[in-house]
């Protein structure tokens, strides 16, 4: 059983496994920036979402504030609110 669990962990793809957020962030950061501005914006939004899930909401807030200028507040506000909430949880509840 332990061997099977180790195989599953080793063979899991961070881009499809919703629990490997830290690895997903690392992969996104390792990829070259897309040349297409729309694709670059999508990647940044996805990165911000994964940063929140990986426990790095402060970085997500910075990224989302930049995206807000490009996409507008209405499209970014829900994820930005979540990032701020998670950041507050870490500052006030975990520390």
């Amino acid at each position: 059983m332990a061997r099977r669990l180790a195989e599953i962990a080793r063979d899991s793809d961070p881009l499809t496994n919703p629990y490997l957020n830290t690895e997903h962030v690392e992969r996104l950061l390792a990829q070259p920036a897309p040349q297409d501005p729309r694709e670059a914006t999508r990647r940044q939004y996805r990165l911000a979402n994964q940063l929140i899930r990986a426990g790095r909401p402060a970085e997500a807030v910075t990224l989302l504030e930049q995206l807000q200028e490009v996409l507008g507040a209405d499209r970014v506000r829900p994820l930005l609110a979540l990032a701020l909430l998670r950041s507050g949880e870490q500052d006030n509840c975990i520390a």
Side-chain angles (χ1 to χ4, degrees), residues 22 67 70:
T22 301
L67 278 174
V70 176

Side-chain angles (χ1 to χ4, degrees), residues 6-59:
E7 288 173 10
I8 291 170
R10 183 189 67 238
D11 297 338
S12 292
D13 181 7
L15 300 180
T16 59
N17 187 327
Y19 302 105
L20 298 177
N21 307 108
T22 301
E23 292 84 355
H24 194 157
V25 167
E26 290 171 6
R27 282 214 184 159
L28 287 171
L29 290 172
Q31 293 174 351
Q35 297 299 317
D36 178 30
R38 286 184 181 174
E39 189 58 37
T41 301
R42 281 189 205 106
R43 180 176 170 262
Q44 285 184 300
Y45 191 86
R46 198 165 86 204
L47 176 60
N49 191 17
Q50 290 301 320
L51 284 167
I52 294 168
R53 292 175 180 206
R56 297 163 57 179
E59 294 172 66

